[in-house]
Amino acid sequence: MPYGVTRTTLPVMTHLPPPAEELRLLDAELWQLESRRTQLLARRAWLIATLQQAPQQTQQQAPAQPQAQLPPTAPPRPETAAPSVQNVLLVLGGVLLTLAAAVFTLVSWGHMGITGRALVLGAVTLAALAGPALLLKRGLRSTAESVAGLGLALTVLDAYALHEAALAGTDGTGYAAAATAVLAGLWSAYGLLPATAALRLPLPCAVAAAQFPLLLWALSADAGPFMISAALLATAGLDTVVALRVTAASVRICAVVGAYGAGGWGVLGAGWLSVTADGPGTAARAGALLLLAAVIALGAAWRVPGPGGHALGLAAASGLLTVGALGGVARFGVPAPWAVVVHLALGVALLAGLRAGRLLPDAVRHGVAWASAVVQALALLWTLPAVALVVAGPAGWLGRVWSGAPSDARAAVAVEAPWPSDAAAAPVVLLAVAAVLASAVRAEQWRPRARLGALGLLWAAALLLPAILTVPHLAGMSVLGVMTAAALYLARTTTSGTRITALVLALVTAVDLTLVSLASQTATLVVLSVLTALPAAASWRSGLTPFTAPAALGYAAALASATGAAADWPPARTALLVLAVPVAAALLAPRLAASRATVPVEAVGAAAGLLAVGLAVTDPPLLALVLALCGVITAGTALRPERRRVGHAATALFVLAAWVRLAAWEVGTPEAYTLPVTVPALFVGALRRRRDPQASSWTAYGPGLAATLLPSLVAAWGDPHWTRPLLLGTAALLVTLLGARHHLQAPLVLGGSVLALVALHELAPYVVQVTGALPRWAPPALAGLLLLALGATYEQRIRDVRRVRAVLGRMN
């Protein structure tokens, strides 16, 4: 081949894949290389581990004689460590010795004389207490702890033996108090001795024993609940001092547990005494105990190092105890409903701790603030029944509509529930907490939420005031109307949180005002008119239209219903007035195009239409008119391009209206109901076939034909006259011929089937007569002949059936 030919054809013969295909091939090759590299690295790591675990002789084995060996088996691992076994044995031994000593003291004590008994117990106790010092010198710390525990247990037995032998006549509780105090002191001294200072057991045991002397002393002295609570709190104070001053972890844990346990029971006792106090003197004594607990908690919070949860909780507990102590005394100087206000004032006063700055630790200041928040939350919880009654109480007028206006605002809300006797202070509590939220919260992330909370509390206070002041019923409704208007005006703000809160408050107030107005006919009409106008005005050029426009339409529907009821119209006639709301919604929706308010407005309009239908259901002629008007409204809505599908609903409404009208005229002929559906359906099907020749005849003409042919066929089978079968058969014949002429499957099949069934129905009497006139052998003979004929022409029939099926298949 010439050189020039090779040079010109070589670029054409070279195969260069597209960039995307070449990149895919490169990625696949790199992935295979990476996978192989990972396998090789894993194999290398296993080989290194195997060589490190193999014995020395395996490494010296000649390479000429390879021998496959399994990895060496690891030596069995002990299930229990040696120190654990040692501790179990020592503890078990100490327990057994202690039990033996107890049995000896309690059972075998009487078999020995006074000298022998003293010598035995004294010698064993001294040996058990002296043994740990010698064991510590030899480095046997665990054994020393076990022997020390035995010695401490023997001292308890010594105390018991001393009472039984020499002090049996003394009071047992008083002796137990003295014994626990002495034992606590002895064990503390024993744990602080230089020779035994390394032991961990004596000092925690001393702290545990110190929990009982004061309580047992109070019980032995037949002291009352005040002294018992004081003893518990004093014990808790001593435990707090120990927990704050001692550095040993075991001692601090025991002291903390004792402080929380004794302090908790002491606070519960003092709180119960304060709640059940029948006079200021008793309340003052209980308050003193609560103040003692508060001082202990505050001192612990002040001294606890770091900003941990302990300091915060103790400071909060101190604040709550202070409020409980002072409030329990002050409640005897004010009327009963205002005791909550006194406690709330004391709780708000705790917020002064936030202004202390560096005078108080941060944990203490925040704990006091949390205590104030808890007091305010409890005060708000106390006002909840009164607020719930004012909000939900007017619902009782639903069963007493237009029964007469109440005397005042309190009677308007307390319809079926008693008015709480202590609700007079509720507005003060709500306003005070609202003021605290609006002024005391300074953090940027919490300040907007606090203001919203203050807004809600102000609304609740304003809702309560008319009922508490027992203003006239008209004045109370005026207050609710002004609150609704103010909430709607506030909802125009740009802040989303404020807008949502104001809308919710406006909705609740409007519903409350509507319920209250049900007592009087005039009040109901006026209130519904105002509540229709207010949301409508708020919807004008504002971002509240998705909420206020549907609300205005809903109240308009309620106003229409109330107006009809006030005019003594029957419900069916009132339905025509209610239809003004769907009309307004249908006219307003196009003006709200591309707005979030379109769907809510249309939904309220549809709901008003259903209400109108429900009102007119008892009067068929008016129901037909209402359905027809609803169909007109729906058809007008379907003219909008984005609401074309609503046309199906309009058609259904027109059909229902026609059926209801025919039923009102007592028309029983089914064709009167079906033909108004069939004719438009066939017309629509013909238009669709003209626009889309490929459309199936079952889709275009099947529903319309079936709507008339099938009900008429059912009626014809039960009709004794000849008129309906004749007309139905004629119509079926025409449908069949049209289907055959235009090669349409649905008219051909439906018309032919109906025609055959009508013919069968008409010829059935004659078949019966012929059958009765024939002899008994004739039917079997005829059946045999029929079978022979079928058998003779079987092949021809099959060919004819296939031909018919092919013709039907070519039809659309």
Side-chain angles (χ1 to χ4, degrees):
M1 181 179 292
Y3 176 77
V5 175
T6 304
R7 185 176 181 182
T8 56
T9 57
L10 187 58
V12 179
M13 296 173 60
T14 304
H15 176 67
L16 294 176
E21 181 67 16
E22 186 176 3
L23 179 61
R24 187 186 65 80
L25 295 175
L26 291 176
D27 289 340
E29 192 69 18
L30 290 174
W31 182 83
Q32 293 179 0
L33 292 175
E34 186 65 23
S35 176
R36 183 59 179 167
R37 181 176 181 273
T38 302
Q39 295 177 358
L40 294 176
L41 288 176
R43 181 65 179 175
R44 180 178 181 275
W46 182 84
L47 291 174
I48 293 175
T50 303
L51 292 175
Q52 291 177 352
Q53 295 177 2
Q56 187 68 25
Q57 56 270 22
T58 304
Q59 297 181 359
Q60 297 177 358
Q61 187 177 0
Q65 300 177 355
Q67 182 178 359
Q69 295 182 357
L70 295 175
T73 305
R77 180 176 177 271
E79 297 182 356
T80 306
S84 300
V85 176
Q86 166 193 308
N87 294 333
V88 170
L89 294 177
L90 292 176
V91 171
L92 183 59
V95 170
L96 292 177
L97 289 176
T98 303
L99 292 176
V103 171
F104 170 76
T105 304
L106 299 175
V107 179
S108 302
W109 184 259
H111 300 290
M112 301 179 64
I114 184 66
T115 304
R117 285 177 280 181
L119 290 175
V120 170
L121 273 180
V124 173
T125 303
L126 290 176
L129 295 175
L134 299 176
L135 293 173
L136 287 174
K137 290 182 179 180
R138 295 179 176 271
L140 303 176
R141 184 188 183 94
S142 299
T143 307
E145 294 285 353
S146 299
V147 177
L150 175 61
L152 298 180
L154 288 175
T155 56
V156 178
L157 296 176
D158 289 338
Y160 171 77
L162 178 62
H163 179 267
E164 294 296 324
L167 302 174
T170 60
D171 178 45
T173 306
Y175 179 79
T180 52
V182 172
L183 288 176
L186 290 177
W187 292 350
S188 299
Y190 180 72
L192 295 175
L193 291 176
T196 56
L199 295 175
R200 299 179 179 178
L201 192 60
L203 291 180
C205 291
V207 173
Q211 307 300 313
F212 303 99
L214 293 178
L215 178 60
L216 293 175
W217 170 77
L219 293 175
S220 65
D222 293 332
F226 286 96
M227 292 302 298
I228 294 176
S229 299
L232 290 171
L233 292 176
T235 304
L238 296 176
D239 290 333
T240 303
V241 173
V242 172
L244 294 174
R245 298 297 297 272
V246 178
T247 57
S250 57
V251 179
R252 294 182 65 182
I253 292 174
C254 290
V256 169
V257 173
Y260 279 115
W265 284 109
V267 168
L268 288 177
W272 177 254
L273 293 173
S274 178
V275 171
T276 59
D278 54 358
T282 307
R285 294 171 61 188
L289 294 176
L290 292 176
L291 286 177
L292 174 61
V295 170
I296 295 172
L298 181 61
W302 202 306
R303 297 295 301 274
V304 169
H310 285 286
L312 184 66
L314 290 171
S318 176
L320 293 175
L321 292 173
T322 303
V323 172
L326 299 179
V329 178
R331 65 187 174 93
F332 288 96
V334 296
W338 297 92
V340 176
V341 178
V342 173
H343 286 80
L344 177 61
L346 294 172
V348 174
L350 292 177
L351 293 176
L354 291 175
R355 312 298 182 189
R358 297 183 179 180
L359 297 178
L360 295 176
D362 292 340
V364 174
R365 293 192 297 110
H366 289 95
V368 171
W370 275 106
S372 177
V374 171
V375 173
Q376 297 178 57
L378 293 175
L380 291 179
L381 187 63
W382 173 80
T383 65
L384 188 60
V387 176
L389 178 61
V390 173
V391 173
W397 289 109
L398 293 174
R400 307 178 182 182
V401 177
W402 296 351
S403 59
S407 58
D408 50 40
R410 180 178 299 181
V413 297
V415 182
E416 298 180 353
W419 180 256
S421 59
D422 55 353
V428 178
V429 173
L430 294 170
L431 292 175
V433 178
V436 171
L437 289 176
S439 60
V441 179
R442 300 295 182 87
E444 292 296 332
Q445 58 179 351
W446 292 103
R447 189 168 180 79
R449 302 177 186 178
R451 289 182 175 179
L452 293 179
L455 177 62
L457 295 178
L458 288 174
W459 170 82
L463 204 63
L464 277 172
L465 281 176
I468 292 175
L469 299 178
T470 62
V471 300
H473 178 53
L474 181 59
M477 290 194 301
S478 301
V479 171
L480 293 176
V482 171
M483 291 175 59
T484 304
L488 287 176
Y489 180 79
L490 184 62
R492 300 179 64 181
T493 181
T494 57
T495 306
S496 60
T498 306
R499 182 188 299 111
I500 294 174
T501 304
L503 283 174
V504 171
L505 297 181
L507 175 62
V508 175
T509 311
V511 172
D512 204 19
L513 176 58
T514 304
L515 294 175
V516 170
S517 68
L518 294 178
S520 171
Q521 175 179 316
T522 304
T524 301
L525 296 176
V526 172
V527 167
L528 291 177
S529 301
V530 172
L531 292 180
T532 302
L534 281 178
S539 303
W540 186 257
R541 295 182 181 180
S542 69
L544 303 178
T545 308
F547 307 97
T548 54
L553 291 175
Y555 277 109
L559 177 61
S561 302
T563 303
D568 291 332
W569 288 359
R573 189 175 178 184
T574 305
L576 297 176
L577 190 60
V578 175
L579 282 179
V581 176
V583 172
L587 295 176
L588 181 61
R591 299 178 178 272
L592 301 174
S595 173
R596 293 182 299 172
T598 304
V599 175
V601 166
E602 292 176 341
V604 174
L610 291 177
L611 175 61
V613 172
L615 291 174
V617 73
T618 57
D619 191 344
L622 278 178
L623 177 60
L625 178 59
V626 169
L627 289 172
L629 293 176
C630 290
V632 171
I633 298 171
T634 308
T637 304
L639 294 177
R640 294 157 52 193
E642 69 276 9
R643 293 291 185 266
R644 295 298 188 192
R645 296 183 179 180
V646 184
H648 300 289
T651 303
L653 288 172
F654 285 130
V655 171
L656 287 176
W659 288 356
V660 172
R661 172 56 65 182
L662 291 173
W665 287 338
E666 297 182 356
V667 175
T669 304
E671 288 78 10
Y673 296 88
T674 57
L675 285 177
V677 178
T678 297
V679 173
L682 293 178
F683 179 73
V684 173
L687 291 179
R688 181 172 181 180
R689 287 275 299 174
R690 177 175 295 183
R691 294 181 180 180
D692 184 13
Q694 300 300 322
S696 173
S697 61
W698 288 101
T699 304
Y701 303 117
L705 293 175
T708 294
L709 292 177
L710 297 182
S712 298
L713 178 63
V714 174
W717 273 65
D719 192 351
H721 304 287
W722 60 271
T723 307
R724 176 178 281 110
L726 178 60
L727 295 177
L728 179 60
T730 304
L733 178 60
L734 292 176
V735 169
T736 304
L737 294 176
L738 289 175
R741 171 66 179 81
H742 297 283
H743 301 280
L744 297 176
Q745 192 179 67
L748 182 63
V749 173
L750 288 175
S753 301
V754 171
L755 180 61
L757 292 175
V758 170
L760 177 62
H761 173 265
E762 293 301 315
L763 296 177
Y766 302 102
V767 173
V768 171
Q769 291 179 1
V770 173
T771 304
L774 291 176
R776 293 184 178 274
W777 54 266
L782 291 176
L785 292 175
L786 179 62
L787 291 176
L788 289 176
L790 290 176
T793 58
Y794 184 79
E795 183 177 1
Q796 181 65 30
R797 300 303 183 189
I798 291 178
R799 186 165 56 251
D800 294 341
V801 170
R802 289 176 179 176
R803 186 180 302 168
V804 172
R805 185 174 62 183
V807 172
L808 291 176
R810 288 194 297 271
M811 295 182 182
N812 194 352

